[in-house]
Amino acid sequence: MQIQTPIRVPSWFSTRRHLEQKLTDLHKCTDLNQVKQLHALIYKTHLHDDLFIVPKLMSAFSISGKINLVVNVFNQIKNPNVHLYNALIKAYVRSCESKKALSVFVEMGNFGVFGDNYTYPFLLKAFSGELKFSFVKMVHAHIEKLGLYADVFVTNGLIDAYCKCGVMGVVEARRLFQVVENKDVVSWNTMIRGLVKLGEIGEARKMFDEMDEKDTYSWNSMLDGYAKTGKMNVAFELFERMSLRNVVSWSTMVMGYCKAGDIEMARMLFDRMPVKNLVSWTIIISAYAEKGLAKEAIGLYKRMEQEGLRPDNGSIVSMLTSCAESGMLGLGKRVHGSIERFGYKCCVEVNNALIDMYAKCGNLSRALSVFEGMMSRDLVSWNVMIHGLAVHGQGEKALHLFSKMMQEGILPDTVTFVGVLCACCHAGLLDEGVHYFYTMEREFGVVPEIEHYGCAIDLLGRRGRLQEAVSLIDEMPFEPNVKIWGALLGACRKHNAVGLAEEVQRHILKFESTDAGTFSMLSNIYAAAGDWDSVSSSRLRVKRTGSRKRSGVSSIMLDDGGYEFSVMDTSHPNSEEIYQMVGDLSHHLKQLSSLPNAV
DNA sequence: CTAGGGTTAG
């Protein structure tokens, strides 16, 4: 039986030893209130400059996202040692402030504090999204000077960082991999991953085969490599040989079959997965959405919700992007509902994807209202909205938005100008477009790419300034592609420039395109000029080369799925009734339009 | 330090 202490004491009033025990796991504490209480306790017991406790406190605040508290605690310390600097760097990395992480590193150097085996992996992770070869080389030099090669974490971090720097980086990584003495599974896996990401799957396979202690990471990296390059038969062969398959292995296979267009196989594997998680659901739903299979996509989305899974930011963005590609408004709206319900409204990427989805599905007003309701917008938000307006023929509104964007101090990039020029093309704002093309580099520092030239040639051509369009093609620092010549050919058609059209045609033929669109364009040009002999000879050429113009298709989404139809299409089982209805409708419309008040 | 899904153009 236990004896109760007669006097109740406040919980913080305990021996230092007791307190230290309480603080052992402080750095893992995720409850902010508890951390704050412990912080007060630390203050009261004069432990706020203890070099073992303070880094833990910093880490705890950093987990809760309280970067300013981390900095406050750090600033209390007169002569911070390497552990404190590490904690601060790590905190900045966690809150995605890589620039600040770097400046802390520079600062510690200025105070004569050397980095240790923790500092460098943090620093490399800070820039993991945008690693420059020269930066990694610099870090490498530091590591070598300080003799930190003995730590696998350091060398693995370095190998990983090099692998993220493209071809040059991977060469350096492989050299390092060979030089380094202590290697573990992670070193091998990192190297294999780097090769896979670079597309060097053969080299990756060689290393994989050499490995004797492969783990699930190694197998999964290979699966990913084969899945991304469409080699599903090889991927499947490996998959079958795996002894320890996990969710990632299954999901990678499902994704691979989706990418290869074999959604049936993907679905079969998905149904057989022993454990599904959010990523697996996202992959299969996105695949159905991309294919326009609305019924399946929405059904699976419902089932996912029933299983109690909430989509996260990544999942939402992925599904919305797929909806945008196939024009699937139904699922898009449902996902929008989840965004509202689960409070993702402040995530910029989610809103950007939402705007794009609504715009691509033709619901401009909803796109606009999402755009206007955003608390903060980034460059992509403006770009998608401008482009959305542009392709819907709302050129003036798009340009208005463009000027508003600059008023708010956002600098346009190369994508912005594709949207701006596209807006001018679609809305017939020819002179404005030509003006933007000629000033984009001088005034905004955005160097025109081939897409911008394409728009400019289209604009000049439509205006009838054919000579200028031709000289622009000569001047441009790119080899003209089919699209460039196509734009010029369109201009020839509009302005009956038969001679030039024939010349353009010769260029287009060099591309050995089987698309007969250009042939029929040329024959239309002859027809407009009244040159009927040439019309028939060019039509003959279409027949002789066996090229066919892929006819345009329209699609429509109904409750039970998507339908495609084209000219003279009789593939639908009820096509007879459909044509009957269309006939009735157009008859009805004709009658209406003959009335005096017809619009 | 290593594995699967992730916003804009063409």
Side-chain angles (χ1 to χ4, degrees):
Chain A
M1 187 149 164
Q2 224 170 352
I3 301 160
Q4 282 294 130
T5 323
I7 307 159
R8 287 198 164 268
V9 290
S11 62
W12 51 267
F13 191 82
S14 42
T15 62
R16 181 180 167 127
R17 198 199 182 87
H18 191 156
L19 179 59
E20 271 173 5
Q21 247 170 12
K22 249 181 143 171
L23 296 175
T24 338
D25 284 334
L26 172 61
H27 57 293
K28 291 178 195 157
C29 183
T30 51
D31 177 5
L32 184 57
N33 281 328
Q34 211 179 329
V35 177
K36 280 181 173 166
Q37 277 173 21
L38 288 171
H39 185 202
L41 203 54
I42 288 166
Y43 234 91
K44 280 182 179 155
T45 45
H46 304 286
L47 287 170
H48 58 278
D49 52 6
D50 186 295
L51 295 178
F52 287 93
I53 290 170
V54 173
K56 288 186 179 183
L57 185 60
M58 289 169 72
S59 171
F61 278 138
S62 143
I63 291 172
S64 303
K66 298 289 172 194
I67 186 79
N68 46 344
L69 292 178
V70 177
V71 178
N72 282 349
V73 174
F74 178 84
N75 285 337
Q76 303 275 316
I77 310 296
K78 293 238 168 53
N79 292 313
N81 63 12
V82 63
H83 302 294
L84 280 139
Y85 278 114
N86 284 345
L88 189 58
I89 291 175
K90 200 177 178 183
Y92 277 130
V93 173
R94 212 192 306 256
S95 63
C96 299
E97 296 187 79
S98 47
K99 293 255 163 59
K100 290 205 174 145
L102 184 60
S103 63
V104 172
F105 173 74
V106 172
E107 193 189 296
M108 71 185 267
N110 292 340
F111 283 111
V113 179
F114 292 111
D116 68 0
N117 49 339
Y118 284 84
T119 317
Y120 293 99
F122 293 163
L123 203 60
L124 289 171
K125 202 171 169 58
F127 292 91
S128 58
E130 26 156 2
L131 274 168
K132 287 210 181 85
F133 187 68
S134 54
F135 178 75
V136 184
K137 271 218 109 116
M138 187 206 78
V139 173
H140 189 173
H142 277 256
I143 288 169
E144 209 162 293
K145 212 194 287 179
L146 294 169
L148 296 172
Y149 267 175
D151 190 324
V152 249
F153 275 71
V154 173
T155 46
N156 286 346
L158 202 52
I159 290 171
D160 180 48
Y162 271 127
C163 284
K164 286 171 179 153
C165 301
V167 190
M168 284 287 290
V170 173
V171 172
E172 195 60 34
R174 296 189 85 169
R175 238 191 45 185
L176 190 63
F177 180 83
Q178 280 178 343
V179 171
V180 169
E181 297 206 343
N182 49 345
K183 285 183 281 246
D184 62 2
V185 210
V186 178
S187 327
W188 283 83
N189 288 344
T190 309
M191 211 48 248
I192 288 177
R193 181 85 212 128
L195 289 165
V196 163
K197 278 256 149 87
L198 206 73
E200 294 276 359
I201 187 129
E203 290 297 302
R205 182 59 186 264
K206 270 188 210 159
M207 285 195 67
F208 177 80
D209 289 335
E210 267 179 53
M211 269 181 99
D212 39 30
E213 35 165 353
K214 308 176 187 46
D215 66 1
T216 313
Y217 281 73
S218 340
W219 287 88
N220 286 350
S221 286
M222 291 312 300
L223 290 188
D224 186 48
Y226 289 121
K228 291 239 164 76
T229 47
K231 293 180 176 134
M232 285 318 288
N233 44 355
V234 190
F236 191 73
E237 192 192 306
L238 286 186
F239 181 73
E240 280 196 303
R241 273 171 49 196
M242 281 180 78
S243 52
L244 283 170
R245 293 185 280 240
N246 63 10
V247 210
V248 177
S249 333
W250 286 89
S251 300
T252 306
M253 292 302 289
V254 171
M255 186 207 66
Y257 281 115
C258 290
K259 283 234 162 83
D262 189 351
I263 199 149
E264 289 80 17
M265 186 63 181
R267 178 58 184 271
M268 208 170 81
L269 281 176
F270 177 80
D271 288 336
R272 287 188 188 179
M273 282 179 78
V275 180
K276 301 176 182 57
N277 67 7
L278 184 59
V279 176
S280 355
W281 284 95
T282 306
I283 291 169
I284 196 83
I285 295 171
S286 298
Y288 277 117
E290 220 163 284
K291 284 215 156 200
L293 297 165
K295 212 174 170 179
E296 290 290 354
I298 293 172
L300 283 169
Y301 190 75
K302 280 185 193 163
R303 262 184 61 197
M304 180 180 87
E305 287 183 321
Q306 278 163 12
E307 307 239 334
L309 283 166
R310 275 190 186 189
D312 65 1
N313 291 354
S315 167
I316 286 173
V317 169
S318 170
M319 289 185 290
L320 287 177
T321 308
S322 303
C323 290
E325 259 175 58
S326 65
M328 211 160 97
L329 191 56
L331 180 60
K333 279 185 174 169
R334 193 170 270 276
V335 174
H336 190 177
S338 306
I339 294 171
E340 304 270 345
R341 250 183 313 161
F342 302 139
Y344 292 116
K345 275 161 88 179
C346 16
C347 176
V348 191
E349 288 89 349
V350 164
N351 282 310
N352 292 348
L354 199 54
I355 297 170
D356 190 46
M357 183 276 295
Y358 277 127
K360 295 237 167 76
C361 291
N363 199 327
L364 255 191
S365 55
R366 272 185 181 249
L368 274 166
S369 75
V370 173
F371 178 79
E372 274 153 15
M374 282 172 81
M375 299 205 264
S376 62
R377 293 182 265 263
D378 67 0
L379 178 61
V380 176
S381 326
W382 292 90
N383 285 353
V384 286
M385 199 61 247
I386 289 172
H387 191 258
L389 288 166
V391 294
H392 282 89
Q394 311 260 17
E396 273 102 353
K397 280 193 191 161
L399 294 186
H400 179 69
L401 209 61
F402 175 62
S403 57
K404 215 169 136 192
M405 162 180 166
M406 283 183 300
Q407 277 166 27
E408 297 203 7
I410 312 254
L411 290 173
D413 71 349
T414 173
V415 182
T416 317
F417 278 102
V418 174
V420 167
L421 295 177
C422 178
C424 298
C425 281
H426 283 260
L429 303 163
L430 308 177
D431 297 324
E432 287 87 337
V434 172
H435 167 258
Y436 280 123
F437 176 76
Y438 284 115
T439 54
M440 58 187 271
E441 184 168 3
R442 211 176 332 126
E443 283 186 25
F444 305 100
V446 180
V447 183
E449 291 168 17
I450 193 156
E451 290 80 20
H452 303 105
Y453 277 95
C455 290
I457 287 155
D458 193 6
L459 285 160
L460 288 167
R462 279 174 206 257
R463 245 283 165 267
R465 288 153 70 172
L466 293 175
Q467 269 319 306
E468 281 177 74
V470 171
S471 44
L472 195 58
I473 294 178
D474 290 336
E475 284 167 26
M476 70 177 196
F478 308 100
E479 271 307 304
N481 58 24
V482 189
K483 285 197 172 128
I484 297 279
W485 293 121
L488 190 57
L489 192 62
C492 293
R493 165 157 160 65
K494 188 165 186 225
H495 298 281
N496 299 324
V498 181
L500 183 58
E502 284 174 335
E503 204 183 306
V504 173
Q505 173 84 351
R506 276 196 294 280
H507 285 292
I508 293 181
L509 285 174
K510 276 188 259 167
F511 288 92
E512 293 176 359
S513 154
T514 50
D515 169 47
T518 54
F519 287 113
S520 55
M521 180 98 86
L522 190 68
S523 101
N524 288 340
I525 293 170
Y526 288 133
D531 183 352
W532 299 105
D533 285 345
S534 300
V535 171
S536 58
S537 75
S538 68
R539 293 239 165 106
L540 213 66
R541 177 150 56 181
V542 175
K543 266 191 186 161
R544 205 174 51 232
T545 55
S547 57
R548 286 187 59 170
K549 183 178 186 300
R550 195 197 181 300
S551 59
V553 293
S554 300
S555 56
I556 185 171
M557 303 293 304
L558 293 176
D559 298 334
D560 58 340
Y563 296 90
E564 257 189 7
F565 52 94
S566 59
V567 181
M568 305 288 282
D569 192 349
T570 54
S571 58
H572 195 276
N574 302 335
S575 68
E576 210 168 300
E577 292 162 56
I578 293 172
Y579 279 106
Q580 180 68 44
M581 178 57 96
V582 172
D584 289 351
L585 275 172
S586 57
H587 180 68
H588 189 60
L589 280 170
K590 262 183 202 151
Q591 280 188 326
L592 277 176
S593 61
S594 64
L595 293 172
N597 282 340
V599 193

